[in-house]
Amino acid sequence: MKQGSFRVLSLAMGLILMAGIAVFSAFGDENTVDYAAIVIDTFDGNTNHEWTVGSKTYSYDFIWKLDASKFATKTEDDAFPKLTYVPSWPMAVFGANRDGKDLKSIGIWGKFDRRGYNWVDLYPATGEGDDQEAFEIPIPGRISYLDMWVWGANLNYYLEAYVRDYNGVVHNIYVGNIGFQGWKNMRVAVPNNIRQSKRILPRLAGLTFVKFRIWTTPLERVDNFYVYIDQFKVLTDTFESLYDGDELADPERVQEFWANN
Amino acid sequence: MKRLLIISIFLLAAGFVFAQQSTEVGSPDADRIGIDAAQQLLKEVSVDKFEKDGYWKSTMSPDDGYVTTRLFAGGPLGKEPLKDEEGLDIPDKYVLGSRVDFIHRGYTSFTLYPIRPIPIEGITKTVSVWVVGRNYNHELKLLLEDFFGRPYELYIGKLNFQGWKKLTVAIPPQAEDGVNGIVQRNYHYNNQLGLKITGFRIDVDPWEAYGSYYIYLDDLRAVTDLFAEDSRDPDDMLDAW
């Protein structure tokens, strides 16, 4: 091989290599992740929920409420399901709580008149009295996992989590069967078919958390049951690539810019 | 002869007026369907108001298109509240909306279904639903399961109208032998009668199965005979354990 043609070949190889690097760096976002674990609620009874991700602090005020399907037991004196906060917690997370913190978990007490696919919803809500309405928790970033601790009484029920995408479509994610004894960590990956980014800026199209739902199954007893939930957490990818003018795609900044119009 | 003709026209017109007073034109008369008991307690009940997010899903063959379903705020103005629900402040804010994007023309259908079958108390006589039509020749079918879990589909009507319209379908009464037909009665338990709604199927007209198609549903109701449920003793035990 002539020396000149070797130079041409190495130049061509170098160009191909550089083009390859340029292509990969342009699509580099696909592989860049910055996971953050956010505790959405510890169920200690506070209405204010605040979490910090990167330099931003998110603060929401909401309480938890219950709703149930048609055959929930209602008598003259009582109506089920009921909700309360109990001073108990998963030892695996908080240990014996030697510091004496005010730890609690949320409890659901349910009764149904008929067996079958009955359900109990646990959902966030805001407002006071008659103005109270359901509130969907906006979760920062792109969610990878939902994680919570559940106390089960070995009943053959199962748990679902509901999230809403940017199109307004609600997806129900099967979290798992709660037929176990005592506290157990339940973790579920958010499926990739739930879209969390879009073509139009801002690209991030985060999910909002709608509710938890507990389903009873037809062969299981439903006359009296208790379920407790604690330490609701998400693992979310908060990385957003920078580009010239990304400030103009930040919804909060855009609000500020257009506030006086 | 002429006088006779005029009298007969009057009589015919009077007959039409009378018929319209007794029931809405084109809708089945729940009072006359499957009367097999001496006493009936017909009542219109709400089966689903489409208020719960994520309860209704949709599906179609991915060869033919894709379908998206969610809730929207709104509702038909002509909807009359149920008498039993007046003053109870039961939320009725949303309707169910589906969007279908067809990939190509053809004989196809898509299904809207609740994630679990919805039971209706009592012996169901008619089922009604409010639907938005966009004047397509598509056909709406009701999917249901009888007491034995056997699947059935009933033709509700064509969607060739504009705006909201209430469509009603009659449930054919079960056969005398209690085994054949759409069976709704179990003589052991008077609180476990009836049907389960498993969804709606829209069979699309191939001439119009292209582009995007939108459909909205609201206020799924049933007229049902609650005599057996109502005559249940309040001190009777609950078989829920």
Side-chain angles (χ1 to χ4, degrees), chain A residues 37-65:
Chain A
I38 306 170
V39 179
I40 301 291
D41 203 345
T42 53
F43 299 106
D44 291 339
N46 302 324
T47 59
N48 184 259
H49 302 80
E50 198 172 281
W51 52 85
T52 305
V53 182
S55 57
K56 273 189 182 176
T57 300
Y58 299 82
S59 179
Y60 302 106
D61 214 29
F62 60 85
I63 55 165
W64 291 89
K65 290 191 74 181

Side-chain angles (χ1 to χ4, degrees), chain A residues 67 70-71 112-115 117 119 121 136 158 160 162 164 167-172 211 213 215 221-223, chain B residues 46-47 52-55 57 68-71 93 115-121 191-193 229 238-241:
Chain A
D67 196 3
K70 189 151 60 176
F71 303 119
F112 287 100
D113 293 341
R114 296 187 192 186
R115 291 188 193 197
Y117 285 109
W119 50 260
D121 278 353
E136 294 179 9
Y158 63 94
E160 283 180 342
Y162 286 57
R164 188 189 295 275
N167 271 329
V169 178
V170 172
H171 303 266
N172 36 357
K211 64 191 174 189
R213 174 170 281 187
W215 281 97
R221 56 186 294 177
V222 292
D223 57 327
Chain B
S46 174
V47 178
K52 295 287 168 200
D53 277 315
Y55 197 79
K57 300 266 167 188
T68 314
T69 295
R70 54 167 286 200
L71 299 183
K93 195 175 163 190
I115 47 176
R116 294 290 173 211
I118 307 173
I120 309 178
E121 54 270 47
N191 67 343
Q192 290 179 12
L193 308 167
E229 298 229 10
L238 289 172
D239 298 339
W241 49 284

Side-chain angles (χ1 to χ4, degrees), chain B residues 68-84:
Chain B
T68 314
T69 295
R70 54 167 286 200
L71 299 183
F72 291 88
L77 292 173
K79 186 167 62 180
E80 286 174 4
L82 289 170
K83 276 184 187 166
D84 291 353

Side-chain angles (χ1 to χ4, degrees), chain B residues 20-41:
Chain B
Q20 283 188 345
Q21 277 170 349
S22 63
T23 177
E24 196 184 324
V25 175
S27 69
D29 187 357
D31 288 317
R32 292 161 183 264
I33 298 171
I35 307 164
D36 57 358
Q39 287 155 304
Q40 284 200 121
L41 181 67

Side-chain angles (χ1 to χ4, degrees), chain B residues 196-213:
Chain B
K196 292 188 178 79
I197 302 278
T198 53
F200 295 98
R201 199 180 71 234
I202 292 95
D203 292 339
V204 299
D205 182 36
W207 281 103
E208 301 194 288
Y210 59 88
S212 298
Y213 174 68

Side-chain angles (χ1 to χ4, degrees), chain A residues 149-184:
Chain A
W149 283 79
V150 182
W151 187 93
N154 219 1
L155 288 161
N156 186 19
Y157 298 167
Y158 63 94
L159 182 70
E160 283 180 342
Y162 286 57
V163 291
R164 188 189 295 275
D165 72 10
Y166 73 98
N167 271 329
V169 178
V170 172
H171 303 266
N172 36 357
I173 302 169
Y174 174 77
V175 178
N177 189 292
I178 58 169
F180 48 77
Q181 299 175 55
W183 288 107
K184 186 184 171 188

Side-chain angles (χ1 to χ4, degrees), chain A residues 3-75:
Chain A
Q3 201 165 4
S5 52
F6 179 73
R7 272 188 195 160
V8 171
L9 191 69
S10 13
L11 192 66
M13 292 279 281
L15 281 172
I16 290 167
L17 193 70
M18 281 166 72
I21 291 168
V23 166
F24 277 112
S25 52
F27 292 99
D29 293 357
E30 307 242 335
N31 299 321
T32 309
V33 286
D34 183 9
Y35 282 126
I38 306 170
V39 179
I40 301 291
D41 203 345
T42 53
F43 299 106
D44 291 339
N46 302 324
T47 59
N48 184 259
H49 302 80
E50 198 172 281
W51 52 85
T52 305
V53 182
S55 57
K56 273 189 182 176
T57 300
Y58 299 82
S59 179
Y60 302 106
D61 214 29
F62 60 85
I63 55 165
W64 291 89
K65 290 191 74 181
L66 288 182
D67 196 3
S69 56
K70 189 151 60 176
F71 303 119
T73 302
K74 282 182 188 67
T75 60

